[in-house]
Amino acid sequence: MSARIAKLAGIGAIALVAMAHVGSPDVYFTGKAGPYAVMVVVRPPGVIPGRAQVFVQVREPVQRVTVQPVFWETSTGGAPAPDVAAPVPGASDTYGAQLWLMTGGSYSVAVQVEGARGTGKVNVPVPSVATRELPMERTRGLILLGLGTFLVVGLLSIVGSAAREATLEPGAQVDGTHRRGARIATAAGGAVVLIALLGGAAWWGSEARNYRRIIYKPLRATTSVTRAHGTRTLHLAIADTAWRRGRRRGTPLVPDHGKLMHLFLVRAPDMDAFAHLHPVTSDSTNFRVALPALPPGTYRVYADIIHASGFPETITDSVVLGAIDSAETGAPSADPGDSAAWTDRDDAWTVSAGAPRTSRLADGSTMTWERGDHALTAGTIAPLTFTVTAPDGRPAVLQPYMGMAGHAMIARADGRVFVHLHPMGTIAAVAQELFDRRERGDTAMAGEGMSMPMPMAPATLPDTVSFPYAFPAPGRYRIWVQVERQGTVLTGTFDVEVR
């Protein structure tokens, strides 16, 4: 990855909302566009309609790269014509373009690469939401105020002159009657202008209020804990009235990596306890999961869900966990139809301090962050690469964890940034699959209750896993990296200070 694209892709304000990820709005994807290895970075505009910045890095010489915004309800046949991405100066392998996102919802950036090995294409899902208003620049406001004043004064001057002199014979002097008429006409013109200005201000305010209504607001949720049958159960309920009435859902939820929800708990403020859980639900509103043996304290809650439109959301809340009761020794239920708590074989948690480079794992193996000696800088893309070594010192043989070589979760100490990463980037695999199917004309996945296949991965994987990412802002971060070895989910914990 060139320094040029890294800097270009990282510039911009942080959207501190719980949409897709918290405080990390940029989209990263690494994978294949047909035969070509690509990395795609999309920076959503933050205002809708608005222009998203798209950067595509191709790891070999090609003839042309095009990008196209595709709304989820259409295919490329109903989308605007593709834009040709131009080479980025100083980066011969990188191409950039700007795409208009005209409405809120789920988009895909269809990237097409043409070269000596033919044509390759890949869909990169991008959530499109308004997260802010563009303020009027002070200088521009002063200029517009000055021009408006000039026009009003000029208009009233013309009205007064016309009333005072337009009916006079050539060479005649202006008398008192015409002067009074000019003053009356000027006052009447001023009243008309004032009414027009007030009407314009009312229209402007109405448009601003309407726009504020479309600004994305995170889903409200309530999180609580109950104790029964020797088990602590966490309950998360989506409390938004619009969600309960179906207006906010848009489309049903679909499972990503085989799970309808990925729920994360991070103990505040030290981030020394962490859990990655997978609740179940009977109505897409109330979720429940058995709690592991986490120590007491206040926990930040982050819950990822995906709509059948491909739109991702992260629900945020907090919950206080009390001390573990010695009598709570019962095993939680594994039957999703059971009224007791639900546990999942892919649930994993850890209570540990962060390491700068090497983290000891639960089975005696070690995970090493191959980060080099350079400092990490906000806005600069630098793949996060981790290597796992078996207890005997040999390279570990890893297994797929929920269809992926690994999962990484990143949180800033103040809780204002949280992101769930995969080796393919920040996108949800299910969202990409949904766009791929729609492109082929298959709309069956939009139906309620449809399940998505788990991503396929080899039965065994190499000892190294890497995630494309750029930290969105300076601060102290903790990284949890989860892999699976010999049927056990292992979690490495790392700390880093980002400049």
Side-chain angles (χ1 to χ4, degrees), residues 37 113 140 178 208 216 227 255 258 272 291 300 314 325 423 432 473:
V113 181
R140 181 177 298 175
H178 285 84
Y216 180 86
R227 300 172 185 257
D272 55 345
L291 282 173
R300 299 176 184 134
T314 298
D325 193 325
Q432 187 177 58

Side-chain angles (χ1 to χ4, degrees), residues 122-424:
V122 66
N123 286 310
V124 180
V126 176
S128 171
V129 293
T131 58
R132 58 192 173 93
E133 291 182 273
L134 286 179
M136 176 71 74
E137 297 176 4
R138 181 177 177 83
T139 301
R140 181 177 298 175
L142 291 174
I143 292 173
L144 292 176
L145 178 63
L147 290 174
T149 303
F150 175 77
L151 291 174
V152 170
V153 171
L155 174 64
L156 297 180
S157 176
I158 292 171
V159 170
S161 297
R164 186 174 56 246
E165 302 171 2
T167 60
L168 290 176
E169 295 293 332
Q173 297 296 316
V174 178
D175 56 19
T177 300
H178 285 84
R179 289 192 179 93
R180 283 193 299 276
R183 287 194 289 270
I184 293 172
T186 301
V192 172
V193 171
L194 179 60
I195 292 172
L197 291 175
L198 292 175
W203 171 82
W204 185 275
S206 175
E207 289 297 306
R209 288 190 295 274
N210 289 337
Y211 183 81
R212 291 189 192 104
R213 280 195 283 269
I214 72 168
I215 291 179
Y216 180 86
K217 298 175 181 62
L219 287 170
R220 291 185 300 105
T222 58
T223 310
S224 59
V225 177
T226 60
R227 300 172 185 257
H229 309 295
T231 301
R232 292 186 303 175
T233 303
L234 184 141
H235 302 268
L236 185 147
I238 301 176
D240 267 280
T241 303
W243 175 273
R244 291 177 178 274
R245 293 178 179 174
R247 295 198 303 268
R248 177 67 183 271
R249 301 186 197 184
T251 59
L253 301 182
V254 293
D256 188 30
H257 304 286
K259 320 294 181 183
L260 205 60
M261 174 181 284
H262 294 260
L263 186 143
F264 307 93
L265 298 173
V266 179
R267 187 162 72 163
D270 296 330
M271 302 187 293
D272 55 345
F274 168 84
H276 177 181
L277 309 175
H278 305 97
V280 294
T281 181
S282 57
D283 57 9
S284 297
T285 297
N286 297 284
F287 295 81
R288 70 182 190 279
V289 67
L291 282 173
L294 293 171
T298 299
Y299 285 76
R300 299 176 184 134
V301 179
Y302 305 96
D304 290 348
I305 55 176
I306 307 290
H307 296 263
S309 65
F311 187 80
E313 293 193 79
T314 298
I315 303 166
T316 61
D317 196 23
S318 63
V319 66
V320 176
L321 301 187
I324 301 173
D325 193 325
S326 60
E328 294 173 344
T329 58
S333 171
D335 179 4
D338 196 334
S339 59
W342 161 262
T343 186
D344 190 290
R345 71 166 300 275
D346 293 318
D347 289 353
W349 60 94
T350 184
V351 180
S352 61
R357 291 181 183 273
T358 302
S359 178
R360 189 80 170 178
L361 304 183
D363 69 344
S365 57
T366 57
M367 181 180 291
T368 303
W369 183 3
E370 309 292 348
R371 53 166 296 184
D373 297 326
H374 60 281
L376 292 181
T377 304
T380 300
I381 298 176
L384 307 176
T385 302
F386 303 87
T387 301
V388 182
T389 304
D392 60 4
R394 298 180 181 180
V397 176
L398 303 180
Q399 300 166 303
Y401 176 40
M402 291 186 290
M404 290 283 178
H407 295 247
M409 284 61 62
I410 300 174
R412 199 168 73 174
D414 60 3
R416 291 166 67 85
V417 176
F418 182 86
V419 62
H420 178 193
L421 286 172
H422 307 122
M424 67 190 306

